[in-house]
Amino acid sequence: MTWILFASLAAIANAVIYFCCDILSQFYDDSIEIISMTFMLLGMMSLIVYYTRTKTITPDSKTLKVFGILVVAYFVFLCSVVKGIRLSPQPGYVHGIASFSTVLLFILYTCAFKQEINLNSAIGLILMMSGLYMLVKSSKTDSKIDLNTVFG
């Protein structure tokens, strides 16, 4: 299996996550409770997996800091996604902006590891930023899709 297969599975799972967040945020008004329940259920699943496997990570202070940053970043991400979906016309707009992280990661790695940006990469970055601009601009004319009429 290649990384492309796993990235494709992640894209499908991400679409399902955004869709579920849209449904939950339209049915329930409490974003914090939605996020808390998500983390509780993920925590229960993670505990089962963690305790049934052989441990391979020895948590030193550096590793714990990275895990701490990861947890905080994921919490901020999930809060932002749920709130953004609640306010956007549809979850695709939120995902489009959140996917701008591709550009940010590319720039971060290019600067941090002093990599050269080739012509294809530069064109790709420009196209992604242009697409993001068009997406945000078009979202201003769309109205919110009411899922209560579909699932209600």
Side-chain angles (χ1 to χ4, degrees), residues 3 5 10 18-20 22 32 51 61 68-69 74 76 78 89 109 114 120 124 129 135 137-138:
W3 67 269
L5 172 66
Y18 278 77
F19 183 66
C20 290
D22 192 24
I32 297 298
Y51 284 115
S61 64
I69 292 168
Y74 194 74
V76 169
L78 195 54
Y109 271 74
K114 296 174 180 45
N120 285 341
M129 289 188 281
L135 184 74
K137 189 171 177 147
S138 70

Side-chain angles (χ1 to χ4, degrees), residues 17-29:
I17 290 167
Y18 278 77
F19 183 66
C20 290
C21 285
D22 192 24
I23 292 170
L24 292 171
S25 70
Q26 286 194 35
F27 287 169
Y28 305 104
D29 205 25

Side-chain angles (χ1 to χ4, degrees), residues 92-128:
Y93 290 119
V94 176
H95 181 65
I97 293 171
S99 294
F100 187 66
S101 64
T102 304
V103 173
L104 298 175
L105 278 171
F106 187 86
I107 292 169
L108 171 73
Y109 271 74
T110 300
C111 294
F113 299 108
K114 296 174 180 45
Q115 294 181 323
E116 296 287 323
I117 297 179
N118 62 35
L119 181 61
N120 285 341
S121 298
I123 292 170
L125 290 171
I126 291 168
L127 288 172
M128 289 178 76

Side-chain angles (χ1 to χ4, degrees), residues 8-151:
S8 300
L9 289 172
I12 293 166
N14 212 8
V16 171
I17 290 167
Y18 278 77
F19 183 66
C20 290
C21 285
D22 192 24
I23 292 170
L24 292 171
S25 70
Q26 286 194 35
F27 287 169
Y28 305 104
D29 205 25
D30 191 347
S31 298
I32 297 298
E33 190 169 349
I34 292 168
I35 294 160
S36 298
M37 287 183 71
T38 301
F39 273 109
M40 285 188 312
L41 294 171
L42 279 171
M44 284 186 252
M45 287 174 41
S46 298
L47 279 173
I48 293 168
V49 171
Y50 181 78
Y51 284 115
T52 58
R53 294 187 71 239
T54 304
K55 310 307 175 272
T56 60
I57 297 174
T58 305
D60 57 8
S61 64
K62 184 178 178 181
T63 303
L64 290 175
K65 285 178 187 175
V66 174
F67 275 115
I69 292 168
L70 176 64
V71 169
V72 169
Y74 194 74
F75 185 78
V76 169
F77 170 77
L78 195 54
C79 287
S80 302
V81 163
V82 172
K83 288 285 192 176
I85 287 173
R86 180 185 301 276
L87 299 171
S88 72
Q90 56 118 324
Y93 290 119
V94 176
H95 181 65
I97 293 171
S99 294
F100 187 66
S101 64
T102 304
V103 173
L104 298 175
L105 278 171
F106 187 86
I107 292 169
L108 171 73
Y109 271 74
T110 300
C111 294
F113 299 108
K114 296 174 180 45
Q115 294 181 323
E116 296 287 323
I117 297 179
N118 62 35
L119 181 61
N120 285 341
S121 298
I123 292 170
L125 290 171
I126 291 168
L127 288 172
M128 289 178 76
M129 289 188 281
S130 301
L132 179 63
Y133 172 78
M134 291 187 299
L135 184 74
V136 170
K137 189 171 177 147
S138 70
S139 72
K140 294 179 180 179
T141 60
D142 288 349
S143 57
K144 179 73 174 170
I145 296 173
D146 185 11
L147 294 177
N148 287 312
T149 59
V150 178
F151 295 107

